[in-house]
Amino acid sequence: QALEDQYSPSHWSPRLGRDTIIQAHIATMAAATQRAQASVQTALHIPYGYGDREKLDIYFPPDPSETFPVLVYIHGGYWQCLSKEESGFAAPPLVSQGVGVVAVGYDIAPKGHMDAMVLQVRRSIAFLVERYSRIRGVYLCGHSAGAHLAAMVLSTDWTEYGVVPDIKGAVLVSGVYDLEPILHTYVNDELNMTREVAQRNSPVWCIAPAASVAVACEVLVAVAQHDSPEFHRQSQEYGQALRAAGWSVSMLDLSGVDHFDIIEKLSEESYVLTQVEGELPSSL
């Protein structure tokens, strides 16, 4: 039961009850995404594959005829809920600074299994940079399960994809980087991972040496004050493992937020993570 609680983010929020916070989170993200789509130039449901969820939503900066950096957002939901439909919430403040935002869809459990999800997200990045030649620099952002998938993108052998995306930075928010503990919780009821699947899809165990990365990539590993001790441990150990492999890593423990509003606040221009993401393209 103790492990179940550690991997139940709703158990740790001081704001709302366990039964209400997840629904409130989904509603908040969906409403912010609707506002973004009403105010920003978009191209929605762009297929990068043949599956129903293998689609991208793209939020363009004011002058997309120029070259522009993109922030690729990979949604959370413990690999079994949420979608790209709630993932455009961060677009307005970034688009106003000339950064395009791309929300990635992928097959969630039980239809999707872990190997397939990792493959889909990697293919979406390859498709994006091949399809849009004006992109100059890719920045990844993932929350929770999405942080796990973004971290797996960092370990990709791109020779298999025929393209090497210019990934310049990653913002990993309240993620899970070692999937083995998940095997022993309710989360795996839908995922049905074996130990072998968990091990080969655990970012902490498949970190590429920084020297093998074509360009310098800045990684920010962020965690919420009101995330569980296990989420804090996972973030700390993954950040340390990246550093040991030669990556440039910053760690950020954000006070006053929980597992959910740590990412919801990306719709606010004054929020520290929003400012970090806006500064990444100009600082690298």
Side-chain angles (χ1 to χ4, degrees):
Q1 183 59 46
L3 195 63
E4 293 271 330
D5 287 344
Q6 287 288 324
Y7 286 96
S8 299
S10 58
H11 181 79
W12 300 86
S13 173
R15 293 185 298 133
L16 294 168
R18 297 182 68 173
D19 296 333
T20 57
I21 191 165
I22 293 175
Q23 290 307 313
H25 175 62
I26 293 171
T28 296
M29 303 280 271
T33 297
Q34 288 179 347
R35 290 194 297 271
Q37 291 179 357
S39 63
V40 172
Q41 180 184 343
T42 61
L44 304 179
H45 317 306
I46 304 297
Y48 67 84
Y50 298 104
D52 291 341
R53 282 182 172 247
E54 293 185 340
K55 294 181 173 67
L56 306 174
D57 286 346
I58 304 176
Y59 300 76
F60 290 102
D63 187 0
S65 64
E66 301 293 329
T67 60
F68 58 95
V70 296
L71 181 94
V72 177
Y73 180 77
I74 305 168
H75 70 80
Y78 256 160
W79 307 276
Q80 52 201 290
C81 70
L82 290 174
S83 69
K84 69 176 180 60
E85 319 304 330
E86 302 89 20
S87 299
F89 61 97
L94 292 169
V95 162
S96 69
Q97 299 178 64
V99 180
V101 174
V102 177
V104 178
Y106 57 91
D107 283 328
I108 56 175
K111 179 182 179 181
H113 55 86
M114 192 59 68
D115 288 324
M117 288 184 248
V118 170
L119 179 61
Q120 284 175 322
V121 172
R122 287 169 168 168
R123 282 198 291 109
S124 76
I125 304 294
F127 167 85
L128 185 68
V129 298
E130 284 186 318
R131 172 78 177 267
Y132 296 94
S133 59
R134 292 192 178 93
I135 290 174
R136 59 163 183 84
V138 174
Y139 300 83
L140 305 172
C141 178
H143 172 240
S144 196
H148 158 267
L149 292 170
M152 288 301 291
V153 170
L154 295 180
S155 71
T156 305
D157 178 0
W158 292 108
T159 58
E160 300 175 24
Y161 296 83
V163 62
V164 181
D166 186 13
I167 298 176
K168 292 186 174 297
V171 179
L172 309 176
V173 184
S174 294
V176 177
Y177 308 104
D178 181 357
L179 299 184
E180 284 208 59
I182 295 288
L183 295 173
H184 312 291
T185 72
Y186 72 97
V187 181
N188 201 39
D189 293 349
E190 292 287 332
L191 294 171
N192 285 311
M193 287 189 296
T194 63
R195 177 162 275 99
E196 291 73 27
V197 170
Q199 287 175 342
R200 69 171 168 260
N201 289 295
S202 288
V204 75
W205 300 117
C206 55
I207 293 171
S212 70
V213 180
V215 293
C217 177
E218 298 273 344
V219 181
L220 172 64
V221 181
V223 67
Q225 176 185 350
H226 300 296
D227 267 318
S228 74
E230 267 294 277
F231 273 85
H232 281 263
R233 179 191 67 80
Q234 289 243 7
S235 293
Q236 191 71 28
E237 291 186 0
Y238 181 60
Q240 290 171 346
L242 282 173
R243 278 181 181 155
W247 290 70
S248 176
V249 181
S250 301
M251 308 289 290
L252 185 60
D253 191 332
L254 278 166
S255 63
V257 289
D258 59 34
H259 187 83
F260 304 97
D261 60 351
I262 188 176
I263 200 71
E264 293 168 6
K265 290 175 178 288
L266 274 182
S267 62
E268 303 172 7
E269 286 191 32
S270 60
Y271 183 48
V272 60
L273 280 186
T274 312
Q275 294 176 345
V276 165
E277 292 184 346
E279 289 169 4
L280 277 173
S282 60
S283 64
L284 294 178

